[in-house]
Amino acid sequence: MEEIYRLSERDVPGASLRGRDINILTLVELKRWLACRGARRGGRKAELVERVREYIAIGLDKEIVDPDGGANIARKVATLRSQGIAHCESFYSTNFSIF
């Protein structure tokens, strides 16, 4: 039986806005936030700000993917296993993507 692991903003560096105003984020921070949702990252800063707002407005801000080649999901699984929470040899997540 495979277990499903979902990533949260706490699991992926750069996935959380931490209550900051979107307009003051740097281009790098906006691109990272969008990468954590599997979103397109091209465009000028104003376009990225608008894209972030749209993702938040339609609820896609909660859907986190792993933009780091699986490193974040692997760390989460290792942490859960070390806490005795997860007991499986393989894992699958509907929110795992490499972009």
Side-chain angles (χ1 to χ4, degrees), residues 52-64:
V52 168
R53 282 193 178 120
E54 289 172 2
Y55 265 65
I56 292 169
I58 61 176
L60 291 176
D61 58 317
K62 308 294 187 272
E63 297 295 323
I64 308 296

Side-chain angles (χ1 to χ4, degrees), residues 5-7 11 66 70-78 91 93 96:
Y5 298 94
R6 290 187 175 261
L7 291 172
D11 300 319
D66 193 338
N72 298 299
I73 194 75
R75 185 172 39 251
K76 180 171 187 159
V77 170
F91 63 88
S93 172
F96 176 78

Side-chain angles (χ1 to χ4, degrees), residues 13-55:
S16 174
L17 296 175
R18 296 185 308 265
R20 296 179 294 163
D21 181 355
I22 298 165
N23 294 307
I24 65 168
L25 297 177
T26 67
L27 196 60
V28 170
E29 290 171 317
L30 291 165
K31 286 182 176 186
R32 177 64 181 184
W33 190 92
L34 289 164
C36 293
R37 275 115 188 123
R40 194 170 61 82
R41 298 176 302 279
R44 296 185 322 267
K45 182 176 178 178
E47 295 168 321
L48 299 181
V49 167
E50 183 58 30
R51 200 168 301 136
V52 168
R53 282 193 178 120
E54 289 172 2
Y55 265 65

